[in-house]
Amino acid sequence: MMMHRRCFSSTTNRLAEYARKKKNKMHWADEAKLLNNIQRALTHYDDFYGNLFGKQWPSMRLGLLSPPKYMAIPNTFTGNIEPITQKLNGMGAYNIQQLWSNSLEEHEAKELDLNKDLGRLHQVDITLGAIAESKRAAELDILYQNAPTGKKLGELQLGKHTMGRIVSDVSEAAGDFIPSTKLKGMDDFTLDSEYFSSYLKKHDEPEEDESATEVEGDNEVLFLKSNQSSLLHFPQFLIPHAFENGSAMNFPPASRDSSSNLREYICVNGSSILPVIALDLRPGTNLLDMCAGPGTKSLMALMTMATDSITCNDLESSRLARVKQIFLEFLGTSNPDIATFTKFNSRDHPAREEYSRVLVDVPCLNDRVSCTVVDNNIFKPRRTKERLALVKTQKEILHSGLKAVNKKEGSAIVYSTCTLSPIENDGVVMNALKETEVSNLYVDLVGLMKLITPFEKAGVFRVTRIRCEVLVTPTKFCNYGPMFISRIVVKPSLAFVVEA
């Protein structure tokens, strides 16, 4: 009992100290000591997403902190789909594939206006710019307050700046102000404004020489017209089941099928089916999963029975081992004939062959995990540099994926994350497409919207349209996601240009 009282007292004291910090601004190094990894994540999200999503953020936040909503996908490799489906129906779950089909018939697809919501999207740019400038000013302020000698703050040109100058100014200030050997704790100081610069650099105001032409590789982003977009189908053998929104029901662990001894179904966060469906797998396609571990999406791709081969790539042996283990559980072999395993750095994948489908499901902030899991959290201080480097890593992986796709009409790349951050979503896609050397690439926003709208109309997902993709956002009663999906296709025929 005495130990419990001591723990309670210690926790109370820490919370009280944190509350005092909120009232009286505390030095950043002392503040960091008070926050555990989850608190750091929530502080970041409240500041970032709170400003970005406004009144919608509290509902999203509650969703992230609540248990996610799962779908159960019957294992086609058991050969007993019908009994498994009946079993799931008996639990009270409904067939998502059938619901999608019914909703598609009820809600006739309308012509998509690609200029819709441009005002709201422009406001996102403005908000991100304001957040970045605020963080930049705070970082300079910290450096200036602790400076024994060096430039005055005014000499750092705090007036009109492009985002490209933010990091250089702060880095210059750090070098001039604070020798790392003299200021205790500054070796842990990192520049959060770096995170925003990658998104906003393409939206900078022109330099002084406004007559300068576009640099090589600064492409326009192309969108398919409605009559050119792909007609994406729900895979015949992918039959997810889910409980009604707001239901407290959960799927029990999957039993083994009596005849095949394979797992009857796999449970996934429901939004995870969308990148796989967006691939539009068909007989004759070969798929590259660039970041395959832990293997859930690779398994779903195989469950569609609609691809001739799949290459599962991951740099880490432990993650490839997890892919093979999940194959063993659901396919009966860790090395199926149609699967190949490679171990390359996805940022520079050699792509010895070209693929008709490429899945680029990149490492990201992983908002839900960051908000709920303390261990190995991306907001752990020792992982700060890794967190700030995520955008660069994501863009390099996407660049690699764009090179790996074959150049035949209809080939497709799907980029996905499980974060709400437009820096890692919209920003990565837009910048990668502007910088890539690969030609004839088009954003298939229309095809993706036609695929996802029936889900939205049926109330399965809460969907937000971004610039060239869609975002599934979580809430307490519709707690799928977050999941961001962008579909890019090879289309030699003419498409119209939408300026980014």
Side-chain angles (χ1 to χ4, degrees):
M1 178 66 72
M2 183 63 70
M3 175 135 343
H4 287 301
R5 287 178 178 173
R6 288 177 180 173
C7 291
F8 179 79
S9 176
S10 175
T11 302
T12 302
N13 290 339
R14 287 172 63 83
L15 291 174
E17 192 172 357
Y18 181 70
R20 285 194 297 273
K21 182 274 301 181
K22 297 294 286 184
K23 184 176 180 180
N24 303 309
K25 188 175 181 181
M26 184 180 291
H27 187 275
W28 69 270
D30 295 327
E31 176 182 343
K33 294 176 184 178
L34 292 176
L35 302 176
N36 65 31
N37 300 332
I38 291 176
Q39 289 171 325
R40 290 188 188 95
L42 287 174
T43 299
H44 171 84
Y45 291 143
D46 285 340
D47 179 35
F48 182 15
Y49 296 159
N51 282 295
L52 190 64
F53 295 107
K55 294 180 180 179
Q56 298 179 28
W57 169 236
S59 177
M60 294 180 186
R61 189 184 197 272
L62 183 58
L64 290 173
L65 293 174
S66 303
K69 190 170 174 60
Y70 291 96
M71 290 183 183
I73 304 176
N75 184 3
T76 50
F77 293 96
T78 62
N80 289 318
I81 285 289
E82 188 173 344
I84 297 172
T85 299
Q86 291 175 352
K87 183 176 181 178
L88 294 172
N89 290 337
M91 297 178 190
Y94 62 93
N95 186 328
I96 293 291
Q97 184 193 76
Q98 187 61 51
L99 184 73
W100 179 87
S101 180
N102 293 340
S103 181
L104 185 65
E105 294 174 1
E106 292 175 7
H107 304 280
E108 187 176 336
K110 296 181 180 179
E111 188 77 10
L112 182 65
D113 180 8
L114 291 179
N115 291 318
K116 180 185 178 183
D117 297 334
L118 287 183
R120 178 179 60 81
L121 297 175
H122 179 62
Q123 186 59 45
V124 170
D125 293 346
I126 295 174
T127 301
L128 288 173
I131 295 172
E133 287 286 356
S134 174
K135 288 186 177 296
R136 170 179 172 272
E139 288 163 352
L140 288 174
D141 185 50
I142 291 171
L143 295 173
Y144 178 70
Q145 288 178 5
N146 290 281
T149 59
K151 295 181 179 180
K152 297 296 183 183
L153 196 60
E155 295 177 19
L156 292 175
Q157 301 177 0
L158 288 177
K160 188 176 180 181
H161 273 279
T162 63
M163 285 304 301
R165 295 193 185 103
I166 290 178
V167 177
S168 61
D169 278 356
V170 178
S171 299
E172 179 186 0
D176 288 342
F177 284 165
I178 307 159
S180 60
T181 56
K182 293 184 180 180
L183 184 60
K184 183 178 179 181
M186 282 306 293
D187 54 330
D188 293 325
F189 184 69
T190 51
L191 310 176
D192 275 338
S193 54
E194 293 182 23
Y195 182 72
F196 296 87
S197 63
S198 59
Y199 179 89
L200 296 170
K201 69 180 181 179
K202 293 298 179 182
H203 303 273
D204 280 348
E205 297 173 10
E207 298 293 338
E208 291 182 6
D209 182 9
E210 296 188 8
S211 63
T213 58
E214 290 184 353
V215 297
E216 184 178 356
D218 191 8
N219 307 314
E220 293 177 294
V221 178
L222 306 177
F223 288 70
L224 291 181
K225 290 182 179 180
S226 294
N227 61 358
Q228 297 171 318
S229 65
S230 307
L231 181 60
L232 306 182
H233 297 88
F234 206 117
Q236 179 182 357
F237 295 106
L238 195 70
I239 314 173
H241 281 65
F243 296 110
E244 294 286 347
N245 285 337
S247 170
M249 294 285 292
N250 291 312
F251 293 103
S255 304
R256 291 191 180 273
D257 176 63
S258 57
S259 58
S260 65
N261 200 37
L262 301 177
R263 295 290 180 187
E264 292 183 325
Y265 55 82
I266 183 172
C267 290
V268 299
N269 184 312
S271 61
S272 297
I273 69 172
L274 295 178
V276 177
I277 300 175
L279 284 167
D280 194 32
L281 297 171
R282 299 170 183 264
T285 60
N286 60 333
L287 169 65
L288 168 62
D289 189 349
M290 297 198 70
C291 306
T296 306
K297 292 183 178 66
S298 291
L299 176 63
M300 285 191 283
L302 289 178
M303 282 180 168
T304 66
M305 302 288 190
T307 183
D308 285 7
S309 66
I310 180 172
T311 298
C312 302
N313 178 74
D314 210 293
L315 181 60
E316 296 182 18
S317 298
S318 60
R319 292 178 66 83
L320 277 181
R322 292 177 67 185
V323 177
K324 293 181 178 182
Q325 181 59 38
I326 201 172
F327 283 4
L328 181 63
E329 290 286 312
F330 289 87
L331 279 66
T333 173
S334 59
N335 193 16
D337 292 339
I338 66 171
T340 302
F341 297 91
T342 59
K343 188 183 175 184
F344 293 104
N345 189 331
S346 297
R347 291 179 290 181
D348 190 26
H349 194 279
R352 296 193 176 99
E353 65 173 297
E354 293 183 334
Y355 301 85
S356 53
R357 300 291 188 272
V358 178
L359 177 59
V360 185
D361 186 50
V362 294
C364 64
L365 282 181
N366 201 337
D367 298 348
R368 188 179 291 278
V369 171
S370 299
C371 287
T372 55
V373 179
V374 174
D375 295 337
N376 205 30
N377 192 302
I378 193 69
F379 284 87
K380 186 176 182 179
R382 292 182 181 179
R383 298 188 68 186
T384 302
K385 290 183 179 179
E386 177 188 352
R387 173 168 60 85
L388 296 180
L390 275 174
V391 178
K392 182 176 183 292
T393 299
Q394 292 159 347
K395 191 167 69 171
E396 288 175 349
I397 295 175
L398 181 53
H399 271 298
S400 185
L402 296 176
K403 293 177 182 178
V405 73
N406 69 36
K407 305 310 177 285
K408 296 180 181 179
E409 180 176 351
S411 297
I413 309 100
V414 171
Y415 175 86
S416 62
T417 75
C418 47
T419 177
L420 296 167
S421 172
I423 311 292
E424 301 181 34
N425 297 338
D426 186 60
V428 168
V429 174
M430 298 293 283
N431 288 327
L433 287 175
K434 287 184 175 184
E435 296 170 4
T436 185
E437 299 174 354
V438 181
S439 58
N440 296 325
L441 296 176
Y442 299 84
V443 175
D444 188 13
L445 174 60
V446 176
L448 191 58
M449 287 296 293
K450 287 180 179 178
L451 169 71
I452 294 179
T453 297
F455 289 119
E456 184 182 18
K457 296 292 186 182
V460 178
F461 298 122
R462 178 180 174 182
V463 178
T464 299
R465 177 193 151 188
I466 317 295
R467 264 191 190 79
C468 52
E469 56 281 313
V470 295
L471 179 67
V472 176
T473 57
T475 66
K476 173 69 174 177
F477 296 103
C478 187
N479 205 6
Y480 296 114
M483 179 61 65
F484 166 89
I485 315 103
S486 181
R487 176 176 161 83
I488 304 162
V489 299
V490 178
K491 186 79 173 178
S493 57
L494 292 177
F496 73 100
V497 176
V498 175
E499 292 189 4

